[in-house]
Amino acid sequence: MGLLRFLVYPEELMSRWPEVHRAYISGFDGRIYPTRVELENNVVTCRRPHSDSGKLHVPWPVPDHGRPVLSTTSLRERDEPYLLALELARGKLSTLRDQCAVWEMLHMDVPAESRRIEQEAFRLFSRAAASGVAPPEASAIATQSIAKATEAAELLVDAYVQQRLAMRRHTHLHPTVLTGCTLDAAVPDSPEETMFLRSFNSAVVPAEWRLIESTEGECRWDALDRMVGWCTDNRLIVRGGPLIDLGARGMPEWLAPWQSDVVNMQSFICDFIETAVSRYTGRVRLWETSAHANTGVALGLSEENRLALAARAIEAARRTDSDSQLFIRVDQPWSEYQARGQHRLSAFQFVDALVRANIGLHGVNLEIAIGYRPRGSLLRDRLSLSRLIDAWSQLGIQLHVTLAMPSSEAGDPHAHPDLEVDEGVGDEQWTEARQAREVGEYVRLLTAKPAVTGIYWCHFHDSLPHRFPHGGLVDVDGRVKAVARAFAPEDDEATAAT
């Protein structure tokens, strides 16, 4: 069994650092090992099945930036524990310099201020790494280095976004990015209808099996028909689905007796998908055939069976409407769920297997839900998000991104019972202002990414049943939240700024 140990200073951090239990180790190839985290005094011990060199990924407090996930460089096992802050500073500087070099090769102009702050971060790191510096002092200096490197990374990402968006406006070669939100029955003919139509050029109609056929053999299409009709009348590009949801409570309850009979289950799934797709042929041109198959726990299905069902769903939709574009949704796209040791395939490997099968998959929808547990993603800075998108773009298919972040840490009676707001995600509480700030930064970066063809929000109204607590654009009292401005057209943003 592999073992990596780390010294943590200041020691008081250990008592207010719940995120440490979500740390994990990855290999040089990016594979995430099942990781067990143990704490003893100010020593963090990470155990894994293999003794190869590895990188530690752990949420770490960065002044003015919450507690984003930071990574070390690849470390070998040794008897002496590593100084965690020092190794995280080394890893952050390495990532920053690597990304800067990549963008320079693409002829990006790197801001002088970013270079200056990066050099300052390196000088601080050098001081912390010098022999003879006591560990507590070295950790304090390394923490300053991390803060400076993070500041330089933010300036670098800002420059990338500005230059990419300017290039797109001047060349007109970048296709229009779809922006949308999951629709609900309250939107049409509501006071918020105008805001929805002004903000979005696309909409997601929730064509979920469990909602349409809650009783076997009895399909209710009325609500979906009205939503599709409203979208068509308002010239919105419609994405339907997910047709099947392999996450918790995602499948019809009446299907439970068939959970051990995967062959017949595939037959039920294909029948529903063929019925749904044929019903809306010509009106719904984008279909999300399945969701959460990479992590799902629905009906106790194995990973192999979930992969097979996801493939059958794509094939069924392709047979029914060969002109539609087909997507699959994966959650936790950084694949931190593998640290629990219950999944063999990362999110990327799961989708890659479907792409290599050549069954007609056009794109993948990355669900990035930050601030939720137990199945949300850990907080990441924009540089990490940028590198994630670049990695997924290697698949050569379209990328859609569905975002979710909470606006409050209070209870939400209308939300999915298996999800709650992760209060330990950072030093700053989740508020409406924080939600708007974080989402605005993410959306602007995603808009600049050529591989991203669609950016969607998780749901519209908090007063109706939804998956993510306090994740709507409209609160329970019908008031539009500040986060809605993140999706406003550029001319609206300019007007608001003046």
Side-chain angles (χ1 to χ4, degrees), residues 79-307:
D79 295 333
E80 180 185 359
Y82 290 95
L83 191 59
L84 182 55
L86 181 66
E87 296 307 325
L88 292 176
R90 192 194 312 272
K92 186 63 178 178
L93 279 166
S94 175
T95 300
L96 173 61
R97 289 184 165 185
D98 284 349
Q99 191 61 62
C100 185
V102 169
W103 281 342
E104 279 190 301
M105 286 191 292
L106 297 175
H107 306 292
M108 172 183 156
D109 294 329
V110 177
E113 183 67 5
S114 177
R115 290 190 187 278
R116 185 190 66 78
I117 297 175
E118 177 212 317
Q119 291 169 359
E120 187 176 348
F122 181 74
R123 284 194 294 270
L124 287 166
F125 169 76
S126 299
R127 283 178 54 200
S131 61
V133 179
E137 182 184 356
S139 292
I141 298 172
T143 299
Q144 296 175 38
S145 174
I146 292 172
K148 288 295 183 181
T150 301
E151 183 181 352
E154 289 297 309
L155 291 173
L156 183 66
V157 172
D158 281 339
Y160 169 81
V161 170
Q162 292 170 6
Q163 292 174 41
R164 283 296 314 177
L165 292 179
M167 182 184 301
R168 191 185 68 178
R169 284 192 292 267
H170 291 144
T171 62
H172 303 289
L173 296 178
H174 196 295
T176 301
V177 176
L178 297 179
T179 56
C181 180
T182 300
L183 204 58
D184 55 50
V187 175
D189 303 319
S190 72
E192 296 83 26
E193 180 183 52
T194 301
M195 183 273 285
F196 192 102
L197 294 174
R198 187 179 66 248
S199 300
F200 303 118
N201 56 24
S202 178
V204 179
V205 293
E208 297 183 46
W209 191 9
R210 66 178 180 87
L211 300 177
I212 295 171
E213 194 179 359
S214 57
T215 302
E216 184 178 3
E218 299 180 10
C219 293
R220 295 192 293 271
W221 300 99
D222 293 349
L224 202 62
D225 287 344
R226 286 194 297 272
M227 285 189 277
V228 172
W230 180 80
C231 291
T232 303
D233 293 342
N234 289 283
R235 299 183 179 181
L236 294 172
I237 297 174
V238 182
R239 192 183 78 195
L243 294 170
I244 60 170
D245 185 349
L246 293 171
R249 306 175 191 243
M251 301 289 272
E253 293 183 0
W254 57 263
L255 202 62
W258 300 94
Q259 63 184 16
S260 59
D261 189 346
V262 179
V263 175
N264 273 320
M265 189 184 298
Q266 288 183 6
S267 178
F268 284 124
I269 288 173
C270 290
D271 286 345
F272 170 73
I273 290 176
E274 290 168 358
T275 301
V277 174
S278 63
R279 185 180 185 88
Y280 299 107
T281 297
R283 289 186 291 171
V284 178
R285 306 307 295 268
L286 304 174
W287 284 104
E288 194 173 76
T289 57
S290 65
H292 310 125
N294 60 314
T295 63
V297 295
L299 304 177
L301 295 170
S302 68
E303 189 173 48
E304 181 180 359
N305 286 335
R306 293 197 306 273
L307 183 60

